[in-house]
């Protein structure tokens, strides 16, 4: 059996911009041997245009986007592969949309002080997200509740440490190496 649980791993790495969602989710997917998806690839063009112009998304902008991520989660689950998705999922109601399609979904939430996040975003040259949206994201963020399945981690340590901590907190184990 490839995983500790019968259900394939379905994990969302959540949080505000710059916290490391994409980087951590990609590595976690690799370690678990499951597909990776970036929620940014599911945004309609209008959402990207809005954020690029420094205007925060609202609930109406995010609903259809979260629903399409929900369809991706459902498809990966139906295919028996599971997935790790990098998705802000800032509010509990957003996470509920994903839980509706996969009740066992787990959230990994890396967090860091504002100045660390702003520095990381400012350093990136290949991304549409402006630093100016960070404060609106922090204002909207609803941390994981005690009844939500998941783990909150300090996003400061090196990535391999973060990913190992995430794996220790999740009920999934990496698949054994393929026989030589
Ligand atoms: N633990 C870490 N230590 C140092 N740098 C990190 C760490 N995690 C991420 N980074 C760097 O910070 C930057 C932001 O990371 P990443 O793009 O993964 O964040 P994100 O949460 O997906 O952001 P966004 O939501 O804006 O796409 C990247 O340049 C990444 O290499
Ligand atoms: O909920 C949102 O406002 C969006 O998902 C944003 O978080 C960005 O898409 C992301 O930060 C850039 O990757």
């Amino acid at each position: 059996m490839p995983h500790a649980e019968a259900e394939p791993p379905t994990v969302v790495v959540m949080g505000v911009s710059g916290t490391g969602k994409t980087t951590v989710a990609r590595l976690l997917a690799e370690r678990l041997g499951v597909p990776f998806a970036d929620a940014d690839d599911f945004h309609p063009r209008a959402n990207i245009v809005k954020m690029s112009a420094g205007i925060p998304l609202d609930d109406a902008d995010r609903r259809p986007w979260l629903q399409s991520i929900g369809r991706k989660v459902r498809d990966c689950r139906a295919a028996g592969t599971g997935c790790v998705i990098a998705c802000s999922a800032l509010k509990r109601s957003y996470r509920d949309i994903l839980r509706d399609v996969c009740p066992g979904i787990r959230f990994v939430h890396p967090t860091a002080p504002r100045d660390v996040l702003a520095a990381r975003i400012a350093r990136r040259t290949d991304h549409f997200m402006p630093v100016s949206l960070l404060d609106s994201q922090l204002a909207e963020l609803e941390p994981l509740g005690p009844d939500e399945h998941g783990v909150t981690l300090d996003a400061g340590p090196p990535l391999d440490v973060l990913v190992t901590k995430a794996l220790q907190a999740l009920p999934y184990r990496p698949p054994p190496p393929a026989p030589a």
Side-chain angles (χ1 to χ4, degrees), residues 18-21 24 109-113 116-117 120 152-159 162:
T19 201
K21 298 182 292 295
V24 171
H109 183 196
T111 62
V116 173
L117 298 168
R120 285 186 185 175
T152 302
L153 298 171
D154 175 4
L159 288 159
L162 258 172

Side-chain angles (χ1 to χ4, degrees), residues 16-23 40 120 124 127 129 155 157 159 162:
V16 298
S17 184
T19 201
K21 298 182 292 295
T22 316
T23 320
D40 276 346
R120 285 186 185 175
R124 282 191 312 205
H127 203 286
M129 195 70 179
L159 288 159
L162 258 172

Side-chain angles (χ1 to χ4, degrees), residues 38-164:
D38 187 348
D40 276 346
D41 295 338
F42 293 74
H43 275 304
R45 176 99 197 108
N47 283 5
I48 302 283
V49 169
K50 209 171 167 181
M51 289 186 278
S52 305
I55 305 166
L57 301 183
D58 58 25
D59 287 355
D61 297 320
R62 291 191 181 115
R63 188 167 302 107
W65 167 67
L66 287 159
Q67 284 165 343
S68 64
I69 297 160
R71 286 193 288 278
K72 173 73 179 174
V73 165
R74 193 195 50 206
D75 290 349
C76 288
R77 197 168 169 229
T81 61
C83 56
V84 180
I85 301 188
C87 173
S88 50
L90 296 176
K91 299 186 188 180
R92 185 184 180 109
S93 61
Y94 300 167
R95 298 191 289 274
D96 284 341
I97 293 175
L98 304 176
R99 263 189 293 267
D100 274 354
V101 292
C102 181
I105 196 165
R106 256 71 182 186
F107 293 89
V108 172
H109 183 196
T111 62
R114 187 195 178 284
D115 58 328
V116 173
L117 298 168
R120 285 186 185 175
I121 299 169
R123 254 199 314 271
R124 282 191 312 205
T125 52
D126 56 348
H127 203 286
F128 62 84
M129 195 70 179
V131 175
S132 61
L133 282 184
L134 179 57
D135 289 321
S136 66
Q137 296 231 323
L138 287 166
E140 283 193 282
L141 175 68
E142 294 172 6
L144 288 174
D147 58 331
E148 293 187 272
H149 290 310
V151 60
T152 302
L153 298 171
D154 175 4
L159 288 159
D160 57 329
V161 174
L162 258 172
V163 172
T164 298

